[in-house]
Amino acid sequence: MPKLALYVPLKAKPGKERDVADFLTSALPLVQAEPGTQTWYAIEEGPGAYAIFDTFETEEDRQAHLDGKVAAALMDKADELFSEPPQIHKFTLLAAK
């Protein structure tokens, strides 16, 4: 069972909604190459509202993801795509199926 998670809400700049969706879907191959990322979800929460949710077994796996290519690309594109800087929330999972 994964023990740790990240949740990153993302708010698209007006007119950048398609670009955000495209960016998130394009990140999938990068995440698939990360052995420590157990699950990764790119989510559309509503108009202009997106998020990333992912899970990990260890803190080392989570940190490797945060130090990886997806996080770097996210921060690189932040000013262009998002109306506010991405906020990364770290969670401990209590139960999962």
Side-chain angles (χ1 to χ4, degrees), residues 54-92:
D54 30 21
T55 64
F56 311 89
E57 184 66 30
T58 68
E59 182 58 41
E60 291 79 17
D61 292 334
R62 181 164 65 180
Q63 191 58 50
H65 176 71
L66 289 171
D67 293 337
K69 293 180 180 178
V70 174
L74 183 70
M75 294 309 172
D76 185 52
K77 293 279 194 178
D79 288 341
E80 175 188 340
L81 297 178
F82 308 119
S83 61
E84 51 195 59
Q87 299 294 314
I88 299 172
H89 302 278
K90 294 181 177 182
F91 295 103
T92 299

Side-chain angles (χ1 to χ4, degrees), residues 11-67:
K11 186 172 180 184
K13 284 185 175 179
K16 293 291 186 174
E17 297 84 359
R18 173 69 4 221
D19 294 334
V20 171
D22 290 346
F23 170 78
L24 291 173
T25 56
S26 74
L28 181 59
L30 298 174
V31 176
Q32 288 173 326
E34 297 177 352
T37 302
Q38 292 193 347
T39 61
W40 183 86
Y41 301 93
I43 303 162
E44 184 176 7
E45 296 179 327
Y50 301 85
I52 297 170
F53 180 79
D54 30 21
T55 64
F56 311 89
E57 184 66 30
T58 68
E59 182 58 41
E60 291 79 17
D61 292 334
R62 181 164 65 180
Q63 191 58 50
H65 176 71
L66 289 171
D67 293 337

